Coordinates of all heavy atoms in Angstrom, one line a residue:
M1 N 0.7 -1.2 0.1 CA 0.0 0.1 0.0 C 0.9 1.3 0.0 O 1.8 1.3 0.8 CB -0.9 -0.1 1.2 CG -1.9 1.2 1.3 SD -2.8 1.2 2.8 CE -4.2 0.3 2.3
E2 N 0.6 2.1 -0.9 CA 1.4 3.2 -1.1 C 0.8 4.5 -0.3 O -0.4 4.7 -0.5 CB 1.5 3.6 -2.5 CG 2.8 4.3 -3.0 CD 2.8 4.6 -4.4 OE1 3.0 3.6 -5.2 OE2 2.8 5.7 -4.8
T3 N 1.5 5.2 0.5 CA 1.0 6.3 1.1 C 1.7 7.5 0.5 O 2.8 7.6 0.3 CB 1.2 6.2 2.7 OG1 2.7 6.3 2.9 CG2 0.6 5.1 3.2
T4 N 0.9 8.6 0.5 CA 1.3 9.8 -0.1 C 1.9 10.6 1.2 O 1.2 10.7 2.1 CB 0.4 10.7 -0.9 OG1 -0.7 10.9 -0.1 CG2 0.0 10.0 -2.1
P5 N 3.0 11.3 1.0 CA 3.5 12.1 2.2 C 2.7 13.3 2.4 O 2.2 13.9 1.4 CB 5.0 12.4 1.8 CG 5.1 12.2 0.3 CD 4.1 11.2 -0.1
K6 N 2.6 13.7 3.5 CA 1.6 14.8 3.9 C 2.5 16.1 3.4 O 3.6 16.2 3.5 CB 1.4 15.1 5.3 CG 0.4 14.1 5.7 CD -0.2 14.3 7.1 CE -1.2 13.4 7.6 NZ -1.7 13.7 8.9
K7 N 1.8 17.1 2.8 CA 2.4 18.3 2.4 C 2.9 19.2 3.6 O 1.9 19.3 4.5 CB 1.4 19.0 1.4 CG 2.1 20.2 0.6 CD 1.2 20.7 -0.3 CE 1.7 21.9 -1.0 NZ 1.0 22.5 -2.0
A8 N 3.9 19.7 3.6 CA 4.3 20.6 4.7 C 3.6 22.0 4.6 O 3.4 22.5 3.6 CB 5.7 20.8 4.7
T9 N 3.0 22.4 5.8 CA 2.3 23.7 5.8 C 3.4 24.8 6.1 O 4.1 24.6 7.0 CB 1.3 23.7 6.9 OG1 0.5 22.5 6.7 CG2 0.5 24.9 7.1
P10 N 3.3 25.9 5.2 CA 4.3 26.9 5.6 C 3.8 27.7 6.9 O 2.6 28.1 6.9 CB 4.2 27.7 4.3 CG 2.9 27.4 3.7 CD 2.6 26.0 4.2
Y11 N 4.7 28.0 7.7 CA 4.3 28.8 8.9 C 5.1 30.2 8.8 O 6.3 29.9 8.7 CB 4.6 28.1 10.2 CG 3.6 27.1 10.8 CD1 3.4 25.8 10.1 CD2 2.6 27.4 11.7 CE1 2.4 25.0 10.4 CE2 1.6 26.5 12.0 CZ 1.6 25.3 11.4 OH 0.5 24.4 11.7
V12 N 4.4 31.2 9.0 CA 5.2 32.4 8.9 C 5.4 32.9 10.4 O 4.5 32.8 11.1 CB 4.4 33.4 8.2 CG1 5.0 34.8 8.2 CG2 4.0 33.0 6.8
K13 N 6.8 33.3 10.6 CA 7.1 33.9 12.0 C 6.6 35.3 12.0 O 7.2 36.2 11.1 CB 8.6 33.7 12.1 CG 9.0 34.2 13.5 CD 10.5 34.3 13.6 CE 11.3 33.2 13.3 NZ 12.9 33.3 13.5
I14 N 5.7 35.6 12.8 CA 5.2 37.0 13.1 C 6.0 37.5 14.2 O 6.0 37.1 15.4 CB 3.8 37.0 13.4 CG1 2.9 36.3 12.3 CG2 3.2 38.4 13.6 CD1 3.1 36.9 10.9
L15 N 6.9 38.6 13.9 CA 7.7 39.2 14.9 C 6.8 40.2 15.8 O 6.2 41.1 15.4 CB 8.8 39.9 14.3 CG 9.6 39.0 13.3 CD1 10.7 40.0 12.7 CD2 10.4 37.9 14.1
N16 N 6.9 40.0 17.2 CA 6.1 40.8 18.1 C 6.6 42.3 18.0 O 5.9 43.2 18.1 CB 6.2 40.2 19.5 CG 5.1 40.9 20.5 OD1 4.3 41.6 20.0 ND2 5.4 40.5 21.7
S17 N 7.9 42.4 17.7 CA 8.5 43.8 17.8 C 8.2 44.5 16.4 O 8.5 45.6 16.2 CB 9.9 43.7 18.0 OG 10.6 42.9 17.0
G18 N 7.7 43.7 15.4 CA 7.5 44.2 14.0 C 8.6 43.9 13.2 O 9.5 43.4 13.6
M19 N 8.5 44.2 11.9 CA 9.6 44.0 11.0 C 10.7 44.9 11.2 O 10.5 46.1 11.3 CB 9.0 44.0 9.6 CG 10.0 43.6 8.6 SD 9.3 43.6 6.9 CE 8.1 42.2 6.9
P20 N 12.0 44.4 11.3 CA 13.1 45.4 11.5 C 13.2 46.3 10.4 O 12.8 46.0 9.3 CB 14.3 44.4 11.5 CG 13.8 43.1 11.9 CD 12.4 43.1 11.4
A21 N 13.7 47.6 10.6 CA 13.8 48.6 9.7 C 14.5 48.2 8.5 O 14.1 48.5 7.3 CB 14.3 50.0 10.2
E22 N 15.7 47.6 8.6 CA 16.4 47.1 7.4 C 15.8 46.1 6.5 O 15.9 46.2 5.3 CB 17.9 46.8 7.8 CG 17.9 45.5 8.8 CD 17.7 46.0 10.2 OE1 17.9 47.1 10.6 OE2 17.6 45.1 11.1
M23 N 15.0 45.3 7.2 CA 14.2 44.3 6.4 C 13.1 44.9 5.6 O 12.8 44.6 4.5 CB 13.6 43.2 7.4 CG 13.1 42.1 6.6 SD 12.3 40.8 7.8 CE 13.8 40.0 8.5
L24 N 12.4 45.9 6.3 CA 11.4 46.7 5.7 C 11.9 47.5 4.5 O 11.3 47.5 3.4 CB 10.6 47.5 6.6 CG 9.5 48.2 6.1 CD1 8.3 47.3 5.6 CD2 8.9 49.1 7.3
E25 N 13.0 48.1 4.8 CA 13.7 49.1 3.7 C 14.0 48.1 2.5 O 13.8 48.5 1.3 CB 14.8 49.6 4.2 CG 15.4 50.6 3.3 CD 16.6 51.3 3.9 OE1 16.6 51.7 5.1 OE2 17.7 51.6 3.1
G26 N 14.6 46.9 2.8 CA 15.0 46.0 1.7 C 13.6 45.6 0.8 O 13.7 45.4 -0.4
L27 N 12.6 45.3 1.6 CA 11.3 44.9 0.9 C 10.8 45.9 0.1 O 10.3 45.8 -1.0 CB 10.4 44.5 2.1 CG 9.1 43.8 1.6 CD1 9.4 42.5 0.9 CD2 8.3 43.5 2.9
L28 N 10.8 47.2 0.7 CA 10.1 48.3 -0.1 C 10.9 48.7 -1.4 O 10.4 49.3 -2.2 CB 10.0 49.5 0.8 CG 8.9 49.3 2.0 CD1 8.9 50.5 2.8 CD2 7.4 48.9 1.3
N29 N 12.2 48.4 -1.4 CA 13.0 48.6 -2.6 C 12.9 47.6 -3.7 O 13.6 47.5 -4.7 CB 14.5 48.7 -2.2 CG 14.8 50.0 -1.4 OD1 14.1 51.0 -1.6 ND2 15.8 50.0 -0.5
T30 N 12.1 46.6 -3.5 CA 11.9 45.6 -4.5 C 10.4 45.7 -5.1 O 9.6 46.4 -4.5 CB 11.8 44.1 -3.8 OG1 10.7 44.0 -2.9 CG2 13.0 43.8 -3.2
P31 N 10.3 45.4 -6.4 CA 9.0 45.6 -7.1 C 7.9 44.7 -6.4 O 8.1 43.6 -6.0 CB 9.2 45.0 -8.5 CG 10.7 44.9 -8.6 CD 11.2 44.8 -7.4
G32 N 6.8 45.4 -6.0 CA 5.7 44.9 -5.3 C 5.9 44.7 -3.9 O 5.0 44.0 -3.2
G33 N 6.9 45.2 -3.3 CA 7.3 45.1 -1.9 C 6.3 45.8 -1.0 O 6.1 45.4 0.1
D34 N 5.6 46.8 -1.5 CA 4.6 47.5 -0.6 C 3.5 46.6 -0.3 O 3.1 46.6 0.8 CB 4.2 48.8 -1.2 CG 3.8 48.7 -2.6 OD1 4.1 47.7 -3.3 OD2 3.0 49.7 -3.1
E35 N 3.0 45.8 -1.2 CA 2.0 44.9 -1.1 C 2.3 43.7 -0.1 O 1.6 43.2 0.7 CB 1.4 44.2 -2.3 CG 0.7 45.1 -3.3 CD 1.5 45.8 -4.4 OE1 2.7 45.4 -4.4 OE2 1.0 46.5 -5.1
I36 N 3.6 43.3 -0.2 CA 4.1 42.3 0.6 C 4.3 42.7 2.1 O 3.8 42.1 3.0 CB 5.5 41.8 0.1 CG1 5.4 41.1 -1.3 CG2 6.2 40.9 1.2 CD1 6.5 40.9 -2.0
A37 N 4.6 44.1 2.3 CA 4.7 44.5 3.6 C 3.2 44.7 4.3 O 3.1 44.4 5.4 CB 5.4 45.9 3.6
I38 N 2.3 45.0 3.3 CA 0.9 45.0 3.9 C 0.4 43.8 4.3 O -0.4 43.7 5.3 CB 0.1 45.9 2.8 CG1 0.4 47.3 2.6 CG2 -1.4 45.7 3.2 CD1 -0.2 48.0 1.6
I39 N 0.7 42.8 3.5 CA 0.2 41.4 3.8 C 0.8 41.0 5.1 O 0.1 40.4 6.0 CB 0.7 40.4 2.8 CG1 -0.3 40.6 1.5 CG2 0.5 38.9 3.2 CD1 0.1 39.9 0.3
Y40 N 2.1 41.3 5.3 CA 2.7 40.9 6.7 C 2.1 41.7 7.8 O 1.8 41.2 8.8 CB 4.3 41.3 6.6 CG 5.0 40.8 7.8 CD1 5.4 39.4 7.9 CD2 5.3 41.6 8.9 CE1 6.0 38.9 9.1 CE2 5.9 41.1 10.0 CZ 6.4 39.8 10.1 OH 7.0 39.3 11.1
S41 N 1.8 42.9 7.5 CA 1.1 43.9 8.7 C -0.3 43.3 8.9 O -0.7 43.3 10.1 CB 1.1 45.3 8.3 OG 0.3 45.5 7.2
I42 N -1.0 42.8 8.0 CA -2.3 42.1 8.3 C -2.2 40.9 9.0 O -2.8 40.7 10.0 CB -3.0 41.8 6.9 CG1 -3.4 43.1 6.2 CG2 -4.2 40.9 7.1 CD1 -4.0 42.9 4.7
L43 N -1.1 40.1 8.8 CA -0.9 38.9 9.5 C -0.5 39.2 11.0 O -0.9 38.6 12.0 CB 0.2 37.9 8.9 CG -0.1 37.4 7.5 CD1 1.0 36.7 7.0 CD2 -1.3 36.4 7.8
R44 N 0.1 40.4 11.1 CA 0.8 40.7 12.4 C -0.5 41.3 13.2 O -0.7 40.8 14.4 CB 1.8 41.7 12.3 CG 2.4 42.1 13.7 CD 3.6 43.0 13.4 NE 4.2 43.2 14.8 CZ 3.8 44.1 15.7 NH1 2.8 44.9 15.3 NH2 4.4 44.3 16.8
K45 N -1.2 42.1 12.7 CA -2.4 42.6 13.4 C -3.3 41.6 13.7 O -3.9 41.5 14.8 CB -3.1 43.7 12.5 CG -4.3 44.3 13.1 CD -4.8 45.4 12.3 CE -6.0 46.0 12.8 NZ -6.1 46.6 14.0
K46 N -3.6 40.7 12.8 CA -4.5 39.5 13.1 C -4.0 38.7 14.3 O -4.7 38.3 15.1 CB -4.8 38.7 11.8 CG -5.7 37.5 12.0 CD -5.8 36.7 10.7 CE -6.8 35.5 11.1 NZ -6.1 34.3 10.6
T47 N -2.7 38.3 14.2 CA -2.1 37.5 15.3 C -2.0 38.1 16.6 O -2.6 37.5 17.5 CB -0.7 37.1 14.9 OG1 -0.7 36.5 13.6 CG2 -0.1 36.2 15.9
F48 N -1.6 39.3 16.7 CA -1.6 39.9 18.0 C -2.7 40.7 18.4 O -3.0 40.8 19.6 CB -0.3 40.9 18.1 CG 1.0 40.3 18.0 CD1 1.8 40.2 16.9 CD2 1.5 39.4 19.1 CE1 3.0 39.5 16.9 CE2 2.6 38.7 19.1 CZ 3.3 38.8 17.9
G49 N -3.7 40.9 17.5 CA -5.0 41.4 17.9 C -5.8 40.2 18.5 O -6.5 40.5 19.5
E50 N -5.7 39.0 18.1 CA -6.4 37.9 18.7 C -5.9 37.6 20.1 O -6.5 37.0 20.9 CB -6.4 36.7 17.7 CG -7.1 36.8 16.5 CD -7.1 35.8 15.6 OE1 -6.2 34.8 15.7 OE2 -7.6 35.7 14.5
L51 N -4.5 37.9 20.2 CA -3.9 37.6 21.4 C -4.0 38.7 22.5 O -3.4 38.7 23.6 CB -2.3 37.3 21.4 CG -2.1 36.0 20.5 CD1 -0.5 35.9 20.3 CD2 -2.5 34.8 21.3
G52 N -4.7 39.7 22.2 CA -5.0 41.0 23.0 C -3.9 41.9 23.0 O -3.8 42.7 23.9
G53 N -3.0 41.8 22.0 CA -1.8 42.8 22.1 C -0.9 42.7 23.2 O -0.4 43.7 23.6
D54 N -0.7 41.6 23.8 CA 0.1 41.3 25.0 C 1.5 41.5 24.6 O 2.1 40.8 23.8 CB -0.2 39.8 25.5 CG 0.6 39.6 26.8 OD1 1.2 40.5 27.3 OD2 0.4 38.6 27.5
P55 N 2.1 42.5 25.4 CA 3.5 42.9 25.0 C 4.5 41.8 25.5 O 5.7 41.8 25.1 CB 3.8 44.2 25.8 CG 2.8 44.1 26.9 CD 1.5 43.4 26.2
F56 N 4.1 40.9 26.2 CA 5.0 39.8 26.8 C 5.0 38.7 26.0 O 5.7 37.7 26.2 CB 4.5 39.5 28.2 CG 4.6 40.7 29.2 CD1 3.4 41.2 29.7 CD2 5.7 41.2 29.6 CE1 3.5 42.3 30.6 CE2 5.9 42.3 30.4 CZ 4.6 42.9 30.9
V57 N 4.2 38.6 24.9 CA 4.1 37.3 24.0 C 5.4 37.7 23.1 O 5.5 38.7 22.6 CB 2.8 37.4 23.3 CG1 2.9 36.3 22.2 CG2 1.7 37.1 24.1
G58 N 6.1 36.6 22.8 CA 7.2 36.7 22.0 C 6.7 36.6 20.4 O 5.6 36.7 20.2
D59 N 7.7 36.2 19.6 CA 7.4 35.8 18.3 C 6.4 34.7 18.2 O 6.5 33.8 19.0 CB 8.6 35.7 17.5 CG 9.6 36.8 17.5 OD1 9.2 37.9 17.9 OD2 10.8 36.6 17.3
V60 N 5.7 34.6 17.2 CA 4.5 33.6 17.0 C 4.7 33.0 15.6 O 4.9 33.8 14.6 CB 3.2 34.1 17.2 CG1 2.1 33.2 17.0 CG2 3.0 34.8 18.6
L61 N 4.4 31.7 15.5 CA 4.4 31.1 14.1 C 2.8 30.9 13.8 O 2.0 30.3 14.7 CB 5.0 29.6 14.2 CG 6.5 29.7 14.1 CD1 7.0 28.2 14.3 CD2 7.2 30.3 13.1
V62 N 2.4 31.4 12.7 CA 1.1 31.3 12.2 C 1.1 30.4 10.9 O 2.0 30.8 10.1 CB 0.4 32.6 12.1 CG1 0.2 33.2 13.4 CG2 0.9 33.5 11.1
P63 N 0.1 29.6 10.7 CA 0.0 28.9 9.5 C -0.4 29.9 8.3 O -1.2 30.8 8.5 CB -1.1 27.9 9.6 CG -1.9 28.3 10.8 CD -0.9 29.2 11.6
F64 N 0.2 29.8 7.2 CA -0.1 30.7 6.1 C -0.7 29.9 4.9 O -0.1 29.1 4.1 CB 1.1 31.4 5.6 CG 0.9 32.5 4.6 CD1 0.4 33.7 5.0 CD2 1.1 32.2 3.2 CE1 0.3 34.6 4.1 CE2 0.9 33.3 2.3 CZ 0.4 34.5 2.7
D65 N -1.9 30.0 4.8 CA -2.7 29.4 3.8 C -3.1 30.3 2.7 O -4.0 31.1 2.9 CB -4.0 28.7 4.4 CG -4.7 27.8 3.4 OD1 -4.5 27.8 2.2 OD2 -5.5 27.1 3.9
C66 N -2.3 30.1 1.5 CA -2.6 31.1 0.4 C -4.1 31.2 0.0 O -4.6 32.3 -0.2 CB -1.8 30.8 -0.7 SG 0.0 31.1 -0.5
T67 N -4.7 30.1 0.0 CA -6.1 30.1 -0.5 C -7.1 30.8 0.4 O -7.9 31.6 0.0 CB -6.6 28.7 -0.7 OG1 -5.6 27.9 -1.6 CG2 -8.0 28.6 -1.3
K68 N -6.8 30.5 1.8 CA -7.8 31.1 2.7 C -7.5 32.8 2.7 O -8.4 33.5 2.8 CB -7.6 30.5 4.1 CG -8.1 29.2 4.3 CD -7.9 28.7 5.7 CE -8.5 27.3 5.8 NZ -8.4 26.8 7.1
F69 N -6.3 33.1 2.7 CA -5.9 34.5 2.7 C -6.6 35.1 1.4 O -7.1 36.3 1.5 CB -4.4 34.5 2.8 CG -3.9 36.0 3.0 CD1 -3.9 36.5 4.5 CD2 -3.7 37.0 2.1 CE1 -3.4 37.7 4.8 CE2 -3.5 38.3 2.4 CZ -3.3 38.7 3.7
R70 N -6.4 34.5 0.3 CA -7.0 35.1 -0.9 C -8.5 35.2 -0.9 O -9.0 36.3 -1.3 CB -6.5 34.2 -2.1 CG -7.2 34.9 -3.5 CD -6.9 33.9 -4.6 NE -7.8 32.7 -4.4 CZ -7.6 31.5 -4.6 NH1 -6.4 31.1 -5.0 NH2 -8.5 30.4 -4.4
D71 N -9.1 34.2 -0.3 CA -10.6 34.2 -0.2 C -11.1 35.4 0.7 O -12.1 36.1 0.5 CB -11.1 33.0 0.2 CG -11.1 31.9 -0.8 OD1 -10.9 32.2 -1.9 OD2 -11.2 30.5 -0.5
K72 N -10.3 35.6 1.8 CA -10.7 36.6 2.8 C -10.4 38.1 2.2 O -11.2 38.9 2.5 CB -10.0 36.5 4.1 CG -10.5 37.4 5.2 CD -10.0 36.9 6.6 CE -10.6 37.9 7.5 NZ -10.4 37.5 8.9
Y73 N -9.4 38.2 1.5 CA -8.9 39.6 1.0 C -8.9 39.7 -0.5 O -8.1 40.4 -1.0 CB -7.4 39.9 1.6 CG -7.5 39.9 3.1 CD1 -7.0 38.9 3.8 CD2 -8.0 41.0 3.9 CE1 -6.9 38.9 5.2 CE2 -8.0 41.1 5.1 CZ -7.4 40.0 5.9 OH -7.4 40.0 7.2
R74 N -9.8 38.9 -1.1 CA -9.9 38.9 -2.5 C -10.0 40.3 -3.2 O -9.5 40.5 -4.3 CB -11.0 37.9 -2.9 CG -11.8 38.2 -4.1 CD -12.9 37.3 -4.4 NE -13.0 36.3 -3.4 CZ -13.5 35.0 -3.7 NH1 -13.6 34.7 -4.9 NH2 -13.5 34.1 -2.6
H75 N -10.7 41.2 -2.7 CA -10.8 42.5 -3.2 C -9.6 43.3 -3.1 O -9.5 44.4 -3.6 CB -12.1 43.2 -2.7 CG -12.0 43.4 -1.2 ND1 -12.4 42.4 -0.2 CD2 -11.9 44.5 -0.4 CE1 -12.2 42.8 0.9 NE2 -12.0 44.1 0.8
H76 N -8.6 42.9 -2.3 CA -7.3 43.7 -2.1 C -6.2 43.1 -2.8 O -5.4 43.9 -3.3 CB -7.0 43.8 -0.6 CG -8.0 44.6 0.2 ND1 -8.1 46.0 0.0 CD2 -8.8 44.4 1.2 CE1 -9.0 46.5 0.9 NE2 -9.4 45.5 1.6
F77 N -6.1 41.8 -2.9 CA -4.9 41.1 -3.4 C -5.2 40.1 -4.4 O -6.2 39.3 -4.2 CB -4.1 40.6 -2.3 CG -3.7 41.5 -1.1 CD1 -4.3 41.4 0.0 CD2 -2.6 42.4 -1.4 CE1 -3.9 42.3 1.1 CE2 -2.3 43.3 -0.4 CZ -3.0 43.2 0.9
K78 N -4.4 40.0 -5.4 CA -4.5 39.0 -6.4 C -3.7 37.7 -5.9 O -2.8 37.8 -5.0 CB -3.9 39.4 -7.7 CG -4.7 40.5 -8.3 CD -4.0 40.9 -9.6 CE -4.9 41.8 -10.3 NZ -4.3 43.3 -10.4
A79 N -4.1 36.6 -6.4 CA -3.3 35.3 -5.9 C -1.8 35.3 -6.2 O -1.1 34.9 -5.4 CB -4.0 34.1 -6.7
T80 N -1.4 36.0 -7.4 CA 0.1 36.2 -7.6 C 0.7 37.0 -6.5 O 1.8 36.8 -6.2 CB 0.2 36.8 -8.9 OG1 -0.5 37.9 -9.1 CG2 -0.2 35.8 -10.1
Q81 N 0.1 38.0 -6.0 CA 0.6 38.9 -4.9 C 0.7 38.0 -3.7 O 1.8 38.2 -3.1 CB -0.2 40.1 -4.7 CG -0.3 41.1 -5.8 CD -1.3 42.2 -5.6 OE1 -2.5 41.9 -5.2 NE2 -0.9 43.4 -5.9
I82 N -0.2 37.2 -3.4 CA -0.1 36.5 -2.0 C 1.0 35.4 -2.2 O 1.9 35.2 -1.3 CB -1.4 35.8 -1.9 CG1 -2.4 36.9 -1.6 CG2 -1.3 34.9 -0.7 CD1 -3.9 36.4 -1.7
R83 N 1.2 34.7 -3.5 CA 2.3 33.8 -3.5 C 3.7 34.4 -3.6 O 4.6 33.9 -3.0 CB 2.0 33.0 -4.9 CG 0.9 31.9 -4.7 CD 0.9 31.0 -6.0 NE 0.6 31.7 -7.1 CZ -0.8 31.7 -7.7 NH1 -1.6 31.3 -6.9 NH2 -1.0 32.3 -8.8
S84 N 3.7 35.6 -4.3 CA 5.0 36.4 -4.1 C 5.3 36.7 -2.7 O 6.5 36.8 -2.4 CB 5.1 37.5 -5.1 OG 4.2 38.6 -4.7
A85 N 4.3 37.1 -2.0 CA 4.5 37.5 -0.5 C 5.1 36.2 0.2 O 6.1 36.5 1.0 CB 3.2 37.9 0.1
L86 N 4.5 35.0 -0.1 CA 5.1 33.8 0.7 C 6.6 33.6 0.3 O 7.3 33.4 1.1 CB 4.2 32.7 0.3 CG 4.6 31.3 1.0 CD1 4.4 31.5 2.5 CD2 3.7 30.2 0.5
A87 N 6.9 33.8 -1.1 CA 8.2 33.6 -1.6 C 9.1 34.6 -0.8 O 10.3 34.4 -0.5 CB 8.3 33.8 -3.0
A88 N 8.7 35.8 -0.8 CA 9.5 36.9 -0.1 C 9.7 36.6 1.3 O 10.8 36.9 1.9 CB 8.8 38.3 -0.2
F89 N 8.7 36.1 2.0 CA 8.9 35.7 3.5 C 9.9 34.6 3.6 O 10.8 34.6 4.5 CB 7.6 35.2 4.0 CG 6.3 36.3 4.1 CD1 5.1 36.0 4.1 CD2 6.8 37.7 4.1 CE1 4.1 37.1 4.1 CE2 5.7 38.6 4.2 CZ 4.5 38.3 4.2
R90 N 9.9 33.7 2.6 CA 10.9 32.6 2.6 C 12.3 33.3 2.5 O 13.2 32.8 3.1 CB 10.6 31.6 1.5 CG 9.6 30.7 1.7 CD 9.5 29.5 0.5 NE 8.2 29.0 0.4 CZ 7.8 28.0 1.2 NH1 8.6 27.5 2.2 NH2 6.6 27.4 1.2
D91 N 12.4 34.2 1.5 CA 13.8 34.8 1.2 C 14.2 35.6 2.6 O 15.5 35.6 2.7 CB 13.7 35.7 0.1 CG 13.4 35.0 -1.2 OD1 13.7 33.8 -1.3 OD2 13.1 35.7 -2.2
M92 N 13.2 36.0 3.3 CA 13.7 36.9 4.5 C 13.9 35.9 5.7 O 14.2 36.4 6.7 CB 12.6 37.9 4.8 CG 12.5 39.0 3.8 SD 11.4 40.3 4.3 CE 9.8 39.5 4.0
G93 N 13.6 34.6 5.6 CA 13.7 33.7 6.6 C 12.7 33.7 7.6 O 12.9 33.3 8.8
L94 N 11.5 34.2 7.2 CA 10.3 34.2 8.2 C 9.4 33.0 8.0 O 8.4 33.0 8.6 CB 9.6 35.6 7.8 CG 10.3 36.8 8.1 CD1 9.3 37.9 7.7 CD2 10.5 37.0 9.5
V95 N 9.8 32.1 7.1 CA 8.8 30.9 6.9 C 9.6 29.7 7.3 O 10.8 29.4 7.1 CB 8.5 30.8 5.5 CG1 7.8 29.5 5.2 CG2 7.6 32.1 5.0
T96 N 8.8 28.8 8.1 CA 9.2 27.4 8.5 C 8.2 26.6 7.9 O 7.0 26.7 8.2 CB 9.3 27.5 10.1 OG1 10.2 28.5 10.6 CG2 9.8 26.1 10.5
D97 N 8.6 25.4 7.3 CA 7.6 24.5 6.8 C 7.6 23.4 7.8 O 8.7 22.7 8.2 CB 8.2 24.0 5.4 CG 8.0 24.9 4.4 OD1 7.0 25.6 4.3 OD2 8.9 25.1 3.6
L98 N 6.4 23.2 8.3 CA 6.2 22.1 9.3 C 5.1 21.1 8.8 O 4.2 21.5 8.2 CB 5.6 22.7 10.7 CG 6.4 23.7 11.4 CD1 5.8 24.2 12.5 CD2 7.8 23.0 11.9
A99 N 5.4 19.8 9.0 CA 4.4 18.8 8.5 C 3.2 18.8 9.6 O 3.5 19.1 10.7 CB 5.1 17.4 8.5
D100 N 2.0 18.5 8.9 CA 0.9 18.6 9.8 C 0.8 17.2 10.6 O 1.3 16.2 10.3 CB -0.5 18.6 8.9 CG -0.6 20.0 8.3 OD1 -0.1 21.0 8.9 OD2 -1.3 20.1 7.2

C-alpha cells in the first residue's frame, strides 16, 4: 500500500516587535514590496489582535494558507501577490515548513 507524504504547511514567523527597519527597507526597494509589507502587517495585526496585544508574548508562528488568505482579502490582493509574498517571506527567513 502506497502512502502519499503529507504536504508541509508553511508557517510564517510573526515578529512581536514588528519587522526590523532594514528588512522593511529592503522589501520596499523591491517591485511589489509594498503589497508584501501590507500582507505581513495584516498577519501581524490579526495574530496579536487575537492575543490581546500582549507585550509579553514573543514571536509567533502562524500557518499561512494562500487560498484562505486570498478568499478573505480577494478584493485587495491577487493570488500572484499572495504567492509572491510567501516567496519573499521565505527569502527573508520568516517561513518555517512544518508537517501537519
Side-chain angles (χ1 to χ4, degrees):
M1 179 185 274
E2 213 177 292
T3 60
T4 57
K6 288 188 176 184
K7 190 175 180 182
T9 303
Y11 280 77
V12 177
K13 185 191 302 181
I14 306 297
L15 305 174
N16 192 5
S17 60
M19 190 176 286
E22 57 274 352
M23 189 181 286
L24 181 61
E25 185 179 324
L27 186 60
L28 292 177
N29 288 330
T30 61
D34 51 344
E35 288 98 0
I36 296 168
I38 292 170
I39 289 172
Y40 188 81
S41 66
I42 289 171
L43 291 172
R44 185 173 184 277
K45 181 174 171 62
K46 181 180 176 236
T47 301
F48 290 107
E50 290 174 357
L51 295 174
D54 189 352
F56 300 108
V57 174
D59 300 342
V60 178
L61 287 176
V62 296
F64 188 79
D65 188 343
C66 291
T67 306
K68 287 182 182 178
F69 194 89
R70 184 191 67 223
D71 290 345
K72 185 166 185 169
Y73 299 102
R74 142 184 2 217
H75 58 285
H76 292 293
F77 302 105
K78 296 181 174 109
T80 55
Q81 291 172 313
I82 297 167
R83 283 192 293 273
S84 67
L86 183 61
F89 296 153
R90 283 188 200 282
D91 293 343
M92 291 186 288
L94 295 174
V95 171
T96 304
D97 290 315
L98 300 174
D100 289 335

